[in-house]
């Protein structure tokens, strides 16, 4: 029987630490959240981010822009928020409508306010071990492992998925923690054999219940970054939990594993943002 890594509890711990720091140090923090259009999933995520801000004592500014907002208008808003001393963090909810170039928008956010950690400067800083904001989901995975007492140093880590938001920064973070890291993707030959080398297997491929016990070494730690709704409208991950759980030593459930960590780490990034004034 694997230990179930409790993302709900660990995310609550991280948020409480943020809340205590804001109160004790009297921090006056403002996060600007921009949503373009009304994609229902984005509306839920943005709502959860606002709620977390309220809990921690961070001011949030919500910009709800129409679907047909031009790229120029959005870039102007980002520039205005970059220049606004009261704003410590800027988050543009993705995906953006197809007529807006996401890369251009991300590159316009000041790296000092890039609490999502998506700016090329933040990504570059992470890869050369310099200080900077780190993408929230992979940063959350590190916290899940550390706070569950799982040693990363010297371990074989296999990451399945190479996205800019999860797979690549995850690899950099695991390297920083002295793991030996392999990144797999859709062209990887013998994926099962490679995955089976992992002491820590991190899965972010976006395919429901793709990873069965055939991919998992006995006693491995399995982290599931995926989230999907199955045919019965129930949430599930990239890992077939019931099949894998008996062979793993520790595993994250979906829901209640990696998911809640993303917002907790966003809050942590806001608290770490530069130029915070005392209230
Ligand atoms: N869309 C889905 N996840 C995220 C995230 O972490 N940040 C932003 N900005 N958009 C997202």
């Amino acid at each position: 029987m694997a230990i179930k890594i409790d993302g709900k509890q660990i995310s609550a711990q991280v948020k409480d630490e943020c809340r205590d720091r804001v109160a004790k140090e009297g921090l006056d923090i403002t996060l600007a959240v921009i949503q373009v259009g009304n994609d229902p999933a984005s509306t839920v995520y943005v709502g959860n981010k606002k709620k977390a801000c309220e809990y921690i004592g961070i001011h949030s500014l919500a910009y709800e822009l129409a679907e047909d907002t031009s790229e120029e208008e959005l870039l102007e808003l980002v520039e205005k928020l970059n220049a606004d001393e009261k704003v410590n963090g800027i988050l543009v909810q993705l995906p953006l409508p197809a007529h807006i170039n996401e890369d251009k928008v991300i590159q316009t956010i000041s790296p000092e306010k890039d609490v999502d950690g998506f700016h090329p400067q933040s990504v570059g800083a992470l890869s050369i071990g310099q200080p900077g904001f780190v993408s929230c989901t992979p940063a959350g995975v590190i916290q899940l492992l550390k706070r569950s007492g799982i040693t990363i140093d010297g371990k074989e880590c296999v990451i399945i998925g190479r996205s800019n938001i999860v797979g690549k920064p995850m690899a950099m973070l695991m390297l920083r923690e002295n793991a030996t890291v392999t990144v797999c993707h859709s062209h990887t030959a013998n994926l099962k054999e490679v995955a089976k080398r992992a002491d820590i297997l991190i899965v972010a491929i976006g395919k429901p219940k793709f990873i069965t016990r055939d991919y998992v070494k006995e006693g491995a730690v399995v982290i599931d970054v995926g989230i999907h709704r199955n045919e019965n409208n129930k949430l599930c991950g990239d890992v077939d939990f019931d099949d894998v759980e008996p062979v793993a030593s520790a595993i994250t459930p979906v829901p209640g594993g990696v998911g809640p960590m993303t917002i907790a780490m966003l809050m942590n990034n806001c608290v770490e943002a530069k130029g915070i004034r005392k209230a």
Side-chain angles (χ1 to χ4, degrees):
M1 267 272 283
I3 295 165
K4 221 191 217 187
I5 299 175
D6 189 344
K8 257 178 142 171
Q9 192 225 328
I10 296 171
S11 66
Q13 231 176 48
V14 171
K15 282 192 278 186
D16 284 345
E17 287 166 14
C18 290
R19 188 164 79 149
D20 289 352
R21 221 182 124 189
V22 167
K24 274 205 196 96
E25 297 177 26
L27 302 176
D28 182 11
I29 307 172
T30 299
L31 170 67
V33 179
I34 305 171
Q35 184 182 352
V36 184
N38 37 28
D39 172 65
S42 289
T43 303
V44 172
Y45 290 137
V46 165
N48 288 339
K49 287 169 188 175
K50 283 187 221 157
K51 265 190 242 160
C53 282
E54 265 169 48
Y55 178 77
I56 283 153
I58 293 175
H59 310 287
S60 66
L61 301 175
Y63 293 87
E64 286 152 18
L65 309 184
E67 179 84 22
D68 63 357
T69 299
S70 69
E71 184 180 286
E72 200 183 354
E73 284 171 290
L74 177 58
L75 293 176
E76 268 172 30
L77 173 59
V78 172
E79 301 269 22
K80 193 184 88 171
L81 296 168
N82 281 342
D84 187 339
E85 272 181 23
K86 288 202 197 76
V87 173
N88 307 99
I90 302 170
L91 184 150
V92 179
Q93 188 64 28
L94 304 178
L96 288 168
H99 65 278
I100 299 179
N101 181 335
E102 273 182 12
D103 288 340
K104 209 162 159 189
V105 174
I106 290 168
Q107 284 171 32
T108 304
I109 297 171
S110 161
E112 303 241 313
K113 302 188 179 186
D114 174 37
V115 286
D116 256 330
F118 294 168
H119 191 284
Q121 188 173 312
S122 308
V123 176
L126 171 63
S127 67
I128 58 169
Q130 300 267 322
F133 288 113
V134 176
S135 180
C136 302
T137 302
V141 170
I142 297 289
Q143 289 304 310
L144 283 180
L145 293 168
K146 287 190 170 176
R147 290 172 189 247
S148 302
I150 294 162
T151 305
I152 304 172
D153 198 312
K155 296 288 178 66
E156 280 286 342
C157 173
V158 175
I159 298 163
I160 310 185
R162 57 174 161 178
S163 70
N164 290 339
I165 293 181
V166 181
K168 285 180 199 154
M170 194 72 250
M172 291 302 159
L173 284 173
M174 292 303 274
L175 262 183
R176 192 194 261 187
E177 298 295 333
N178 300 320
T180 301
V181 180
T182 304
V183 182
C184 301
H185 45 78
S186 52
H187 294 234
T188 298
N190 305 319
L191 181 60
K192 278 185 188 166
E193 284 81 68
V194 179
K196 268 198 148 148
R197 295 209 295 254
D199 301 311
I200 302 173
L201 180 64
I202 302 175
V203 189
I205 39 175
K207 291 185 185 165
K209 295 194 179 183
F210 183 84
I211 297 297
T212 56
R213 63 170 71 194
D214 305 347
Y215 291 80
V216 181
K217 178 171 77 176
E218 182 87 34
V221 173
V222 180
I223 305 290
D224 188 352
V225 184
I227 187 149
H228 315 273
R229 276 198 190 276
N230 71 8
E231 57 285 358
N232 306 319
N233 211 31
K234 249 188 86 186
L235 291 172
C236 71
D238 289 348
V239 174
D240 184 338
F241 184 92
D242 293 335
D243 193 55
V244 169
E245 191 265 350
V247 299
S249 62
I251 186 167
T252 57
V254 177
V258 174
M261 293 304 294
T262 301
I263 288 186
M265 298 315 292
L266 173 68
M267 296 297 106
N268 188 65
N269 279 352
C270 291
V271 173
E272 295 276 317
K274 292 184 186 70
I276 293 171
R277 284 151 290 108
K278 302 274 178 182

